[in-house]
Each structure stands twice: as C-alpha cells, then as structure tokens.
Amino acid sequence: MLSDPNYVTSAGNDTSVVWGCLLDLVNATACVGTAAALFPVVRRQNESLALGFVTSRMFEAAVIAIGVVSLLAVVTLRQAGTSGTDHSSLITAARALVAVRDWTFLIGPWMVPAINALLLGYLLFRPRLVPRFIPLMGLIGAPLLLISAITTMFGINDQVSVLSAVATLPIFLWELSLGLYLTFKGLKPAAVLGGPDSTHATGGGRM
C-alpha cells in the first residue's frame, strides 16, 4: 500500500494492512501507557516536565492514530470503489492518504521520541533513578534525531539515509536499555521516595 499507487485498484491484501494498523494502535496505546506508568515517579523530580512528558507521549499516540486512520481509509476505498469508479480518482485519493500517513510517521514515531528522550532523560538523569549512561544516550541522541527529522521535513535529508541511521541508533539504545533495566532492576528506591535531592541526602554516589 505504501509503495504501490495502484494498490487501491488492485486485489490487495487488506487483512495484512488491517493487522499492521492494529499493531500500530497497540504502539500508540503503549505510548500513553508507559507515560502514565512513569508519571507518579518522575513527578517527584519535576512535575512540570513530567506533565510535559505525558503530553508529548499523548501527542505521539494521536499522530500515530491519524496515520492508522489514513491507511484504513485506503482499505475502505479499495473495497468500495474497485468497480464502477474512475481509477485515476481512486489512485489520487489513495496517494493523498498515504502521504498523510508518511508525514505522521515522520512527526509521530520519528520527531516526537526525540522530545520524549529530552524530557524523560533529564528526569531520570538528574536524580540518578537509573545508571546515568542510560539517560545520557537519550540526551545525546535526541538532538541528532531532531536534526535528522527537521532536515527531512525541508527535503535536505532522506528519512532512509546514513544521517538518519546514525541519529536513530542512540535513541534505539536508550529505549532498549531503559526498558530492560526497568524490567530487571527497577528504579532506585531511595531516589524515587526522596525526590530530586535524595541521593545527596542519603550519601549516595554517582552511578
């Protein structure tokens, strides 16, 4: 569907597309769920930034959902308009909907995660809720990903390029390592309970 303009007038494989859209909705739900799960903890460090993180994740989920609806609309056009309808009109409409989805992919899962990394990385880095090298990867990767996304918006960079790959790697490692660390180790209890200055109050060292 994404690469073939004639998909909307062909036999198509709507089941695979719908399953892909469903998985994208699961992804959008997870965006909100992870922010909601972390909010009670990170709000102790800075409530304004914590609210900003939740808002950013909700915005990411909303943009992903717009992309999903666009693709499902193409499925509807293909199912309802394969007979008795001008094929060129269907192709034009489908290409417009796919273009909407492509922009949502750039803004939602591509640009907004950089903002998420800046907010959550700072909230975890300062009070040492996790080893500092983990949020540091997010804080380093966020500006790179933002630059990659912005240059792609202006046609300077291609979304599939060496720059994009380099910019994505630190964010990938940041999200992967944070997820694994929280799954198997969890946050530091003293820092969680004591707020941003708890490490100094309890005599904890740097990680």
Side-chain angles (χ1 to χ4, degrees):
M1 178 187 288
L2 298 179
S3 59
D4 182 9
N6 294 313
Y7 177 90
V8 70
T9 59
S10 65
N13 189 353
D14 295 341
T15 301
S16 296
V17 174
V18 173
W19 271 111
C21 290
L22 180 62
L23 292 175
D24 243 354
L25 289 177
V26 172
N27 180 31
T29 304
C31 288
V32 180
T34 52
L38 287 171
F39 178 73
V41 175
V42 295
R43 68 178 295 189
R44 296 174 181 268
Q45 318 308 322
N46 188 310
E47 188 166 2
S48 296
L49 292 180
L51 283 171
F53 173 63
V54 173
T55 303
S56 178
R57 293 293 267 181
M58 292 178 66
F59 176 74
E60 180 181 355
V63 173
I64 292 173
I66 292 172
V68 169
V69 171
S70 298
L71 294 186
L72 291 177
V74 177
V75 172
T76 300
L77 287 175
R78 196 205 66 77
Q79 293 176 345
T82 52
S83 61
T85 305
D86 179 37
H87 283 191
S88 62
S89 299
L90 285 175
I91 292 173
T92 300
R95 292 182 66 177
L97 290 167
V98 170
V100 170
R101 181 267 173 194
D102 289 342
W103 277 104
T104 62
F105 186 79
L106 176 64
I107 295 172
W110 196 264
M111 180 181 290
V112 179
I115 300 173
N116 296 336
L118 286 174
L119 294 171
L120 183 59
Y122 177 80
L123 289 167
L124 297 178
F125 182 84
R126 187 182 176 192
R128 304 179 181 91
L129 293 178
V130 296
R132 281 194 158 183
F133 76 90
I134 295 178
L136 190 60
M137 287 188 290
L139 294 173
I140 292 174
L144 297 176
L145 193 59
L146 275 176
I147 292 172
S148 173
I150 292 173
T151 53
T152 300
M153 289 180 67
F154 286 95
I156 301 172
N157 175 51
D158 190 77
Q159 197 163 357
V160 180
S161 65
V162 175
L163 175 61
S164 298
V166 172
T168 305
L169 182 60
I171 295 296
F172 168 77
L173 294 176
W174 138 255
E175 293 187 350
L176 177 64
S177 59
L178 178 62
L180 291 174
Y181 188 86
L182 293 181
T183 299
F184 295 104
K185 298 287 289 185
L187 299 171
K188 288 182 59 179
V192 170
L193 295 175
D197 298 322
S198 60
T199 304
H200 301 290
T202 56
R206 293 178 178 270
M207 297 188 71

